[in-house]
């Protein structure tokens, strides 16, 4: 049978198939999609999606906010339904937002927040003050909570955030809540000598004590209840301390609560005729922090200068970063809130107040600053000394005796910022073995690419790798040095690897570099008598590779 | 009149069938009154033409008269519907065959020849009934759309353009589906053992 005959047979065989199949095939009509229906349907879908987005964004849109402060502050941002959209703890950069507040209505969130603060000691035997920062919109929402807090015997500071721009700016600068910032601004306006720099580190309770002591009538601020002062020594005791130090009985004693920018202090002025003395005494410790003697007429001015110093010290000292406290299992709500701490203490230098000592200014860490590993933190191993490096600028050229050990970062080694431009070879010495640390902080850094042929164990006994990223020219290459110790000589081999910046690796060494450079050996440099610098070429490179293999 | 018609409509199928068995011509009258609309719809669905559908419906009554007795349908509506379907699909095939002409049928047969598993296929030795059953199983294994397209093309002899319009496809899509269906059918026939491979 030919195919054609077969086709004919099938053609006729079709006549015998189930009429239902035949009817079904004929009766079927594909649903006609009218041309305009597709865009219409797409438009409907787009509208629906847009509506959902709008509804969601409207639900999450921040309409107002309020803040709650004890030792630390929390900002609760509310949507139009007065539900918490976002909650942020401002005490510490380590503290993440207390996310459990999200979705709660403002009143519930505030009550729970206060409960947690109370549990954590924010409101304890020595502190009972809660600071509420409110806006016009959030005032009504939070008023019941404020009233309730008063009923429970707390001292409540109610600060209206009227100048929101200024408050937010200060809040951002000081890592405090806008409510606290508004309070500080208002207090500063109320009394000239009260500066926010002296207050922003204080707890709400301390601020309340200070405001009460100074009888401050700050605009937009109401204080209800009495702040606890059980943590402070009585003024009489402070006077006795001052008198004891002064040695005689002055005619007049003025004692006043103040702040040194970190904690509450008392300033005691003793007047005896034309002469007098001023004391700054820790309000809790009773320790004399500063003592000034002089003419009565100048005591005030001198004390003001001291306060200026306090203010400057507080202004420039780093914000104390409070490590988060791991919440107890039972404290599930707000478990991410940091535990309140005592008022932060200033650096030791700042505490030691004497006319001749300038407080040590520690640069404030910024968010963008790359974390670096301090050489002294990880390895106590000896380092090449700065003196050595600066003493031997031409040490590449021959054998160099080693002297001493030291540690430091690249600035330490090379105070001249133009070093790399003037002497690229010198820059090699700021080379580092911090590739791992750098890589840990830079996900895009392809460590394997740079470090593959130097196994970790390689560093342990035999060698170090010195590397430097050149920050000048076109940021296109990395200097590597291979080093090993042989018969008490440290051999340095200039590998000078050319690492082209490629699309895969575009910005590894984008200036400014934030790597801490370190020159380190895991063995005592005192064993080493000389350093021999070798600029390998040709066969020497081969030799280097062989040596590398042998060590590997 | 309305009341009389209503009374007749109320006549149940058993009584009508009894009239058929009694060879009473009123059976046709009652059947037509009760099932004319239904059968017309079925026929028109297939034929798509009022005239052809009416003609087909008349053929349905005649076919019923010829087959009852000996048949005694359990459900008259289904029986008549089946006749209407059979007649209308056959009629449409005939109409299309006539309309398209023998050349067109030859084209379809040539296409169907692709389904042949091999030139010396023993299917040639098969009874037509066996082949029909095998094809039916093959068609049932196709997707509903492909099956409909296949039947439209090779049973109803519809043109590619007509099929494309009815199924809201373009002609290339129709051709592609037909080719795939033929290939699948060929494989199935082979699997069914209708080949000496």
């Amino acid at each position: 049978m030919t195919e054609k005959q077969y086709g004919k047979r099938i053609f006729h065989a079709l006549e015998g198939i189930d009429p239902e199949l035949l009817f079904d095939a004929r009766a079927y009509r594909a649903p006609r999609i009218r041309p305009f229906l597709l865009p219409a349907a797409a438009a409907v879908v787009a509208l629906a999606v847009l509506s959902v987005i709008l509804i969601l964004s409207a639900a999450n849109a921040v309409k107002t906010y309020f803040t709650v402060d004890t030792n630390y502050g929390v900002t609760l941002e509310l949507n139009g339904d007065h539900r918490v959209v976002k909650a942020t703890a401002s005490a510490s950069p380590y503290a993440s937002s207390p996310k459990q507040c999200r979705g709660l209505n403002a009143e519930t969130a505030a009550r729970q927040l206060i409960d947690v603060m109370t549990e954590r000691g924010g409101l304890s035997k020595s502190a009972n003050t809660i600071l509420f920062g409110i806006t016009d919109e959030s005032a009504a929402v939070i008023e019941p909570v404020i009233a309730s807090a008063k009923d429970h015997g707390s001292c409540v500071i109610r600060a209206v955030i009227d100048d929101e721009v200024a408050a937010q700016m200060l809040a951002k600068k000081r890592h405090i809540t806008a409510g606290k910032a508004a309070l500080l601004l208002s207090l500063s306006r109320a009394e000239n000598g009260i500066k926010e720099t002296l207050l922003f580190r204080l707890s709400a309770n301390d601020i309340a004590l200070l405001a009460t002591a100074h009888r401050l009538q700050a605009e937009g601020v109401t204080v209800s209840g009495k702040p606890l002062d059980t943590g402070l020594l009585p003024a009489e005791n402070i006077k006795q301390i001052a008198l004891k130090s002064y040695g005689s009985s002055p005619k007049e004693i003025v004692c006043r609560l103040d702040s040194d920018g970190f904690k509450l202090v008392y300033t005691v002025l003793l007047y005896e005729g034309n002469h007098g003395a001023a004391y700054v005494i820790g309000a809790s410790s009773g320790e004399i922090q500063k003592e000034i003697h002089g003419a009565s007429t100048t005591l005030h001015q001198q004390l003001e200068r001291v306060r200026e110093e306090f203010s400057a010290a507080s202004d420039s000292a780093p914000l104390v970063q409070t490590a988060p406290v791991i919440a107890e299992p039972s404290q599930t709500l707000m478990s991410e809130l940091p535990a309140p701490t005592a008022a932060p203490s200033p650096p030791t230098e700042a505490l030691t107040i004497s006319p001749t000592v300038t407080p040590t200014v520690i640069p404030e860490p910024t968010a963008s600053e790359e974390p670096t590993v301090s050489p002294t933190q990880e390895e106590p191993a000896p380092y090449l000394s700065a003196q050595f490096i600066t003493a031997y600028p031409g040490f590449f050229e021959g054998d160099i005796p080693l002297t001493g050990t030291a540690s430091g970062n690249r600035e330490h080694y090379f105070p001249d910022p133009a070093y790399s431009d003037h002497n690229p070879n010198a820059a090699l010495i700021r080379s580092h073995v911090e590739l791992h640390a750098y890589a840990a902080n830079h996900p895009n850094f392809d460590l394997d690419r740079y470090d593959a042929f130097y196994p970790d164990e390689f560093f342990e006994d035999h060698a170090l790798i010195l590397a430097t990223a050149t920050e000048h020219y076109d940021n296109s290459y990395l200097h590597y040095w291979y080093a090993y110790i042989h018969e008490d000589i440290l051999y340095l081999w200039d590998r000078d690897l050319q690492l082209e910046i490629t699309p895969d690796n575009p910005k590894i060494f984008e200036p400014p570099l934030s790597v801490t450079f370190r020159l380190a050996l895991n063995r005592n440099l005192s064993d080493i008598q000389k350093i021999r610098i070798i600029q390998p070429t040709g066969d020497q490179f081969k030799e280097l590779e062989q040596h590398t293999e042998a060590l590997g | 009149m309305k009341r009389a018609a209503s009374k007749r409509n109320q006549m149940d199928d058993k009584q009508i069938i009894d009239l058929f068995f009694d060879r009473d011509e009123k059976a046709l009258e009652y059947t037509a009154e009760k099932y004319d609309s239904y059968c017309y719809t079925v026929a028109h669905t297939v034929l798509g033409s009022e005239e052809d559908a009416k003609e087909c419906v008349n053929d349905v009554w005649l076919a019923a008269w010829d087959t009852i007795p000996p048949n005694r349908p359990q459900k008259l509506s289904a029986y008549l519907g089946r006749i209407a379907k059979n007649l209308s699909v056959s009629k449409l095939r005939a109409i299309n065959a006539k309309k398209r002409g023998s050349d067109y049928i030859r084209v379809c047969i040539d296409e169907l020849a692709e389904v042949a598993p091999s030139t010396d296929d023993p299917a040639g030795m098969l009874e037509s009934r066996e082949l029909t059953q095998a094809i039916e199983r093959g068609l049932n294994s196709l997707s509903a759309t492909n099956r409909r397209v296949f039947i439209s093309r090779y049973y109803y002899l519809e043109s590619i353009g007509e099929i494309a319009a009815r199924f809201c496809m373009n002609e290339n899509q129709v051709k592609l589906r037909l080719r795939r269906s033929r290939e699948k059918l060929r494989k199935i026939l082979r699997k069914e053992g209708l080949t000496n491979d």
Side-chain angles (χ1 to χ4, degrees):
Chain A
M1 180 180 280
T2 63
E3 280 185 354
K4 190 156 186 172
Q5 286 171 320
Y6 192 89
K8 203 170 183 177
R9 280 208 65 198
I10 291 173
F11 182 78
H12 290 296
L14 283 172
E15 291 168 4
I17 64 172
D18 184 359
E20 289 297 333
L21 287 180
L22 300 175
F23 181 74
D24 167 73
R26 182 62 194 167
Y28 177 79
R29 295 283 184 280
R32 284 193 179 277
I33 300 171
R34 295 176 194 279
F36 64 83
L37 280 181
L38 273 178
V44 167
V45 170
L47 273 174
V49 170
L50 197 64
S51 305
V52 170
I53 290 169
L54 282 174
I55 289 166
L56 285 177
S57 58
N60 288 322
V62 176
K63 293 283 183 194
T64 185
Y65 65 94
F66 66 94
T67 66
V68 183
D69 277 84
T70 52
N71 271 1
Y72 59 94
V74 175
T75 302
L76 296 171
E77 294 175 46
L78 312 177
N79 64 11
D81 298 330
H82 297 143
R83 291 196 172 275
V84 177
V85 175
K86 191 179 174 189
T88 319
S90 61
S92 155
Y94 300 114
S96 50
S97 306
K99 291 172 188 162
Q100 288 89 341
C101 278
R102 281 194 66 172
L104 296 177
N105 72 49
E107 193 180 328
T108 308
R111 286 185 195 283
Q112 292 186 354
L113 194 57
I114 292 165
D115 285 347
V116 172
M117 286 172 161
T118 309
E119 283 173 23
R120 297 277 183 94
L123 299 169
S124 62
K125 288 176 184 173
S126 59
N128 69 336
T129 304
I130 308 171
L131 160 63
F132 289 97
I134 54 175
T135 62
D136 290 341
E137 293 84 7
S138 63
V141 183
I142 209 65
E143 216 59 71
V145 184
I146 296 175
S148 165
K150 286 179 198 166
D151 292 345
H152 283 82
S154 296
C155 170
V156 172
I157 307 175
R158 183 178 179 281
V160 178
I161 306 165
D162 46 7
D163 187 352
E164 197 164 339
V165 175
Q168 290 288 5
M169 280 176 67
L170 181 61
K172 196 174 176 187
K173 183 180 175 187
R174 300 299 186 198
H175 289 210
I176 57 177
T177 63
K180 190 173 182 178
L183 172 68
L184 302 189
L185 290 171
S186 196
L187 291 176
S188 306
R189 284 197 294 268
E191 186 176 312
N192 225 7
I194 299 280
K195 291 183 174 176
E196 56 87 11
T197 44
L198 292 173
L199 299 179
F200 78 91
R201 295 170 191 273
L202 301 184
S203 69
N205 198 69
D206 284 352
I207 294 173
L209 283 169
L210 201 61
T212 308
H214 287 237
R215 293 189 174 82
L216 294 177
Q217 295 294 321
E219 192 183 343
V221 176
T222 52
V223 182
S224 315
K226 193 168 178 279
L228 281 179
D229 59 0
T230 51
L232 306 183
L233 292 169
E236 280 308 313
N237 292 15
I238 296 294
K239 285 179 189 174
Q240 291 305 319
I241 292 167
L243 286 171
K244 192 177 173 186
S245 173
Y246 189 64
S248 62
S249 297
K251 286 180 181 172
E252 189 184 351
I253 300 180
V254 179
C255 180
R256 197 168 77 154
L257 199 60
D258 209 332
S259 164
D260 68 357
F262 297 91
K263 63 185 187 304
L264 290 179
V265 293
Y266 280 103
T267 52
V268 185
L269 286 162
L270 307 173
Y271 295 106
E272 194 175 27
N274 292 334
H275 237 269
Y279 289 87
V280 177
I281 301 172
S284 303
S285 63
E287 184 187 347
I288 297 173
Q289 293 182 190
K290 187 158 177 62
E291 185 175 348
I292 304 164
H293 292 270
S296 300
T297 49
T298 61
L299 276 181
H300 252 296
Q301 288 173 347
Q302 290 188 56
L303 201 56
E304 273 311 305
R305 276 202 290 275
V306 170
R307 296 185 86 241
E308 292 289 340
E309 286 172 16
F310 287 151
S311 180
S314 172
D315 190 24
S316 58
L319 294 166
V320 174
Q321 315 286 315
T322 313
V325 170
I326 306 298
E328 293 297 320
S330 60
Q331 296 174 339
T332 50
L333 183 83
M334 321 295 210
S335 59
E336 292 177 45
L337 281 172
T341 58
S345 301
T348 314
E349 292 85 351
L351 271 172
T352 314
I353 297 164
S354 80
T356 54
V357 174
T358 308
T360 301
V361 176
I362 302 167
E364 186 176 319
T366 61
S368 61
E369 194 170 334
E370 293 289 344
T372 55
V373 179
S374 162
T376 53
Q377 281 176 349
E378 276 194 353
E379 284 184 34
Y383 302 95
L384 294 179
S385 70
Q387 290 81 3
F388 156 72
I389 293 157
T390 50
Y392 298 96
F395 72 98
F396 315 78
E397 294 158 7
D399 296 352
I400 303 135
L402 269 171
T403 55
T405 60
S407 65
N409 56 27
R410 63 179 177 142
E411 287 78 21
H412 194 167
Y413 294 140
F414 294 101
D416 177 10
Y419 54 85
S420 57
D421 285 335
H422 297 151
N423 188 350
N425 285 328
L428 296 174
I429 293 304
R430 69 186 157 91
S431 304
H432 61 105
V433 285
E434 294 284 65
L435 282 176
H436 287 272
Y438 182 72
N441 294 316
H442 294 75
N444 291 331
F445 186 85
D446 185 2
L447 183 65
D448 288 339
R449 180 171 171 184
Y450 303 100
D451 218 13
F453 48 92
Y454 299 115
D456 283 344
E457 56 268 25
F458 203 72
F459 292 88
E460 286 175 4
D461 198 19
H462 303 285
L464 74 156
I465 300 301
L466 309 171
T468 178
T470 55
E471 295 168 87
H472 57 299
Y473 306 132
D474 54 359
N475 308 309
S476 64
Y477 62 92
L478 182 76
H479 266 112
Y480 262 83
W481 282 67
Y482 164 74
Y484 64 94
I485 299 160
H486 178 65
E487 293 179 352
D488 298 336
I489 296 176
L490 173 66
Y491 290 87
L492 296 175
W493 296 73
D494 183 359
R495 288 299 303 269
D496 194 3
L497 297 178
Q498 192 80 21
L499 300 173
E500 294 295 334
I501 301 295
T502 66
D504 296 331
N505 181 24
K507 287 180 178 175
I508 289 174
F509 293 114
E510 192 173 35
L513 278 179
S514 56
V515 181
T516 298
F517 294 104
R518 183 165 57 139
L519 189 62
L521 267 179
N522 289 328
R523 58 175 288 180
N524 197 339
L525 275 180
S526 61
D527 295 345
I528 301 168
Q529 301 302 314
K530 293 176 180 176
I531 291 180
R532 180 165 293 157
I533 305 297
I534 302 160
Q535 302 279 355
T537 52
D539 291 344
Q540 283 182 316
F541 249 122
K542 236 178 233 174
E543 189 187 331
L544 173 63
E545 294 296 346
Q546 284 165 1
H547 188 82
T548 308
E549 281 170 22
L551 287 171
Chain B
M1 277 300 286
K2 276 185 183 174
R3 195 178 294 164
S6 175
K7 267 190 179 177
R8 279 199 289 271
N9 277 345
Q10 285 171 359
M11 183 174 277
D12 64 23
D13 289 352
K14 188 176 178 303
Q15 290 171 311
I16 296 173
I17 290 168
D18 286 344
L19 289 174
F20 271 110
F21 268 84
D22 293 342
R23 308 313 290 169
D24 186 341
E25 288 186 2
K26 281 188 178 171
L28 291 174
E29 191 183 334
Y30 293 145
T31 304
E33 279 180 9
K34 191 170 181 180
Y35 291 111
D36 181 75
S37 174
Y38 170 62
C39 290
Y40 175 83
T41 305
V42 171
H44 192 268
T45 301
V46 175
L47 294 163
S49 149
E50 190 182 342
E51 191 184 341
D52 291 339
K54 279 181 180 171
E55 194 180 319
C56 182
V57 170
N58 287 332
D59 291 344
V60 172
W61 313 143
L62 289 177
W65 182 257
D66 288 345
T67 54
I68 307 173
N71 295 335
R72 181 178 280 277
Q74 294 294 314
K75 195 173 178 185
L76 187 58
S77 62
Y79 187 78
L80 295 172
R82 201 159 57 243
I83 293 172
K85 283 177 189 174
N86 290 348
L87 289 178
S88 58
V89 296
S90 301
K91 193 173 181 68
L92 180 65
R93 183 170 161 91
I95 291 168
N96 281 346
K98 192 177 174 185
K99 189 165 76 181
R100 310 277 181 217
S102 57
D103 287 348
Y104 187 84
I105 292 170
R106 205 170 294 125
V107 170
C108 288
I109 288 171
D110 285 347
E111 286 176 12
L112 282 173
E114 288 175 23
V115 181
S118 66
T119 51
D120 55 348
D121 196 278
M125 306 298 287
L126 288 175
E127 291 293 326
S128 293
R129 185 174 178 76
E130 285 175 303
L131 183 60
T132 298
Q133 285 171 348
I135 290 169
E136 199 169 297
R137 283 193 293 275
L139 288 175
N140 278 322
S141 72
L142 299 177
S143 72
T145 305
N146 283 356
R147 185 180 65 238
R148 287 167 183 152
V149 169
F150 187 91
I151 290 170
S152 298
R153 172 70 172 164
Y154 300 116
Y155 182 81
Y156 292 116
L157 304 169
E158 287 182 53
S159 70
I160 300 290
E162 286 169 337
I163 296 169
R166 192 153 65 86
F167 286 82
C168 290
M169 299 175 189
N170 62 44
E171 294 193 3
N172 284 335
Q173 286 172 318
V174 173
K175 286 176 187 170
L176 187 67
R177 282 176 183 272
L178 285 171
R179 191 168 73 240
R180 283 180 182 162
S181 298
R182 288 196 300 268
E183 282 167 8
K184 191 164 185 184
L185 208 57
R186 180 167 177 256
K187 282 178 189 167
I188 287 165
L189 291 178
R190 216 181 240 193
K191 205 174 173 183
E192 290 263 341
L194 302 179
T195 169
N196 58 355
D197 286 353

